[in-house]
Amino acid sequence: MEFYDAVRRRLSVRAYKPDPVPEDVLDRILEAGRLAPSAKNLQPWKFIVIKDPETKQHLVPACRDQQFVGQAPVVICACAHEDQAWGGMGGYWKSDAVDVTIALEHMILAAAAEGLGTCWVGAFVEEQVKKILSIPDNVKPIALTPLGFPAREAKPRPRKPLAEIVCYDRFSQEQHG
Ligand SMILES: Cc1cc2nc3c(=O)[nH]c(=O)nc-3n(C[C@H](O)[C@H](O)[C@H](O)COP(=O)(O)O)c2cc1C
């Protein structure tokens, strides 16, 4: 699939068919995450691939009762090793969440190119997710996504126009164009 088609096709999918994700497709999606850039190439990430139905069901209340998390055949939990990340972003802040977010978005776009649905899940209770997935103290879950074939077509959500969100040469509140 052409790259810009995949970008357009990626929409938040909140209903999934039970059909499994073929292993070769899952491997390609994970590989797209592995190839993501990270600050100083430190790759401070770990991706937990959850297929066990019971574990997925436990994740539903930990994800604020978002039922589609339990419905998808696969859930990926993207985690950060803060102690492995670069500390010089903007001169002073840690890159872990940025690095992991980029890698997960690589996977999400790869999933779209494969005809699979995903949905960023940021509404979760960190302590509960950590307990369910045995995530150690020094590792932080950044986001989860279900992964599977969409059960129905997702509708595109509106976006701000470019004229409102882009400015040139210096910061400006003015709309251009
Ligand atoms: C950081 C982040 C957290 C999000 N958390 C959730 C979530 O917990 N549940 C959910 O249904 N959607 C969640 N979303 C999806 C957004 O609602 C969605 O991306 C936005 O409405 C635009 O729709 P689209 O993804 O279909 O283009 C999240 C998105 C981001 C980037």
Side-chain angles (χ1 to χ4, degrees):
M1 185 186 293
E2 209 263 320
F3 175 74
Y4 292 104
D5 289 337
V7 170
R8 271 189 208 93
R9 188 191 271 223
R10 187 227 51 86
L11 299 168
S12 292
V13 171
R14 299 185 177 91
Y16 292 88
K17 292 181 182 168
D19 314 32
V21 176
E23 278 305 308
D24 58 328
V25 175
L26 179 58
D27 286 348
R28 284 198 293 273
I29 291 168
L30 295 170
E31 177 70 1
R34 191 179 76 85
L35 295 177
S38 59
K40 293 211 162 191
N41 199 26
L42 289 168
Q43 305 160 63
W45 45 53
K46 190 82 165 186
F47 302 100
I48 307 174
V49 178
I50 304 126
K51 295 185 187 177
D52 176 53
E54 210 178 314
T55 309
K56 282 188 292 161
Q57 277 316 314
H58 287 312
L59 284 173
V60 172
C63 293
R64 303 195 183 277
D65 289 326
Q66 300 188 81
Q67 298 300 321
F68 59 84
V69 172
Q71 205 184 39
V74 176
V75 176
I76 297 173
C77 178
C79 301
H81 282 276
E82 192 186 350
D83 50 2
Q84 292 175 12
W86 185 54
M89 294 270 297
Y92 67 97
W93 56 287
K94 284 259 185 187
S95 65
D96 52 330
V98 174
D99 293 328
V100 171
T101 299
I102 292 168
L104 185 59
E105 185 63 10
H106 268 215
M107 291 188 204
I108 281 175
L109 289 174
E114 298 280 358
L116 288 166
T118 56
C119 182
W120 273 93
V121 172
F124 62 87
V125 183
E126 181 177 320
E127 280 317 307
Q128 291 179 16
V129 168
K130 287 184 78 156
K131 193 165 174 221
I132 294 161
L133 301 179
S134 306
I135 297 172
D137 284 346
N138 61 334
V139 176
K140 191 181 176 74
I142 301 295
L144 299 95
T145 182
L147 177 70
F149 293 96
R152 55 172 186 261
E153 210 181 308
K155 294 266 177 296
R157 304 281 321 277
R159 291 294 193 268
K160 295 176 181 176
L162 274 183
E164 188 183 331
I165 62 169
V166 177
C167 51
Y168 292 92
D169 299 323
R170 64 183 64 80
F171 185 87
S172 167
Q173 299 283 16
E174 311 261 302
Q175 294 217 5
H176 74 83

